[in-house]
Amino acid sequence: MKHPVRPADIGIGFGSHDIGVAVRAVELYHARVVPQLLFTGANAPTTVTRFPRGEAVHYREHALAHAVPDGAILVETEAGNTGENVTLSREVLRRHGVEVGSAVLISRPSQERRVYATCRMLWPGLDVVCTSRRPDVDEYVASVGDVDLVISTLVGDTQRITLYAEAGHAIAQHVPDEVHDACGRLVAAGYTSRYIATH
């Protein structure tokens, strides 16, 4: 989304197959953009092999290994989708007595728009900006190690921008026709492992 990152009360790292979420969160913490991190996410079929203890747990371990103090990290380990990432993170903060008015939402690059739209719908009073670790495409694919997963995830993320808004889980976002067309070509080419069948 190309939001300029600004200081916020917390950084929320959204679980996925991308360890770059934790890498970016650590960068923001050490740059003093956020004083605290919250990692959210259980497991999905695409992450259970990569992160067997759960997405949020592995992100926390990465942060601890990179000099983020344990007291600056909260985890939410039950969320199975973006809506749950938002609502359950909010509940974790409430249980810990942490009041926040602003957050940096950290996700994989292709998920930024969906994370933003979902948070705006489910936590409208929170002032948010989105960010991700953004290496070039070849480096990103190499870091994930599975080109089919990367492309299928792009397709699924793009589709969910519209589907989640139609279902009332996210605010509506404009998706240009050329993006819809490209997504359709990728579906026709067989990149459907993260695609939701709608017919």
Side-chain angles (χ1 to χ4, degrees), residues 110-125:
S110 63
Q111 192 184 18
E112 280 188 38
R113 188 166 295 280
R114 178 158 50 104
V115 164
Y116 174 80
T118 304
C119 194
R120 291 303 312 253
M121 176 62 77
L122 300 178
W123 199 348

Side-chain angles (χ1 to χ4, degrees), residues 155 176-188:
V155 168
D177 290 341
E178 59 267 25
V179 174
H180 277 297
D181 293 345
C183 188
R185 288 193 301 275
L186 291 169
V187 169

Side-chain angles (χ1 to χ4, degrees), residues 17-20 50 133 135-146 150:
H17 60 263
D18 185 357
I19 195 66
R50 184 179 302 261
R133 182 174 171 268
D136 67 36
V137 173
D138 291 336
E139 181 185 343
Y140 183 75
V141 170
S143 74
V144 173
D146 185 339
V150 171

Side-chain angles (χ1 to χ4, degrees), residues 17-198:
H17 60 263
D18 185 357
I19 195 66
V21 174
V23 171
R24 182 69 174 135
V26 167
E27 290 172 356
L28 295 172
Y29 177 83
H30 287 306
R32 300 178 186 255
V33 174
V34 294
Q36 189 164 27
L37 300 173
L38 188 158
F39 295 119
T40 171
N43 268 122
T46 57
T47 64
V48 69
T49 301
R50 184 179 302 261
F51 301 135
R53 292 179 301 286
E55 299 156 359
V57 171
H58 281 265
Y59 287 1
R60 175 183 173 273
E61 291 169 353
H62 177 88
L64 290 171
H66 290 84
V68 177
D70 190 42
I73 305 169
L74 295 171
V75 294
E76 180 291 303
T77 60
E78 302 298 320
N81 59 54
T82 308
E84 290 178 358
N85 288 133
V86 173
T87 57
L88 296 177
S89 291
R90 194 172 184 179
E91 177 60 22
V92 165
L93 291 170
R94 187 196 64 76
R95 278 198 324 264
H96 283 87
V98 178
E99 293 186 21
V100 298
S102 60
V104 177
L105 308 180
I106 309 151
S107 67
R108 64 180 178 267
S110 63
Q111 192 184 18
E112 280 188 38
R113 188 166 295 280
R114 178 158 50 104
V115 164
Y116 174 80
T118 304
C119 194
R120 291 303 312 253
M121 176 62 77
L122 300 178
W123 199 348
L126 187 66
D127 179 23
V128 299
V129 295
C130 296
T131 189
S132 59
R133 182 174 171 268
R134 298 181 192 130
D136 67 36
V137 173
D138 291 336
E139 181 185 343
Y140 183 75
V141 170
S143 74
V144 173
D146 185 339
V147 69
D148 288 345
L149 175 61
V150 171
I151 296 171
S152 291
T153 299
L154 286 168
V155 168
D157 283 341
T158 302
Q159 181 199 33
R160 284 165 176 79
I161 292 168
T162 302
L163 283 185
Y164 284 15
E166 289 172 351
H169 303 305
I171 64 169
Q173 297 280 289
H174 172 70
V175 179
D177 290 341
E178 59 267 25
V179 174
H180 277 297
D181 293 345
C183 188
R185 288 193 301 275
L186 291 169
V187 169
Y191 294 101
T192 58
S193 68
R194 301 296 298 148
Y195 189 77
I196 299 171
T198 57

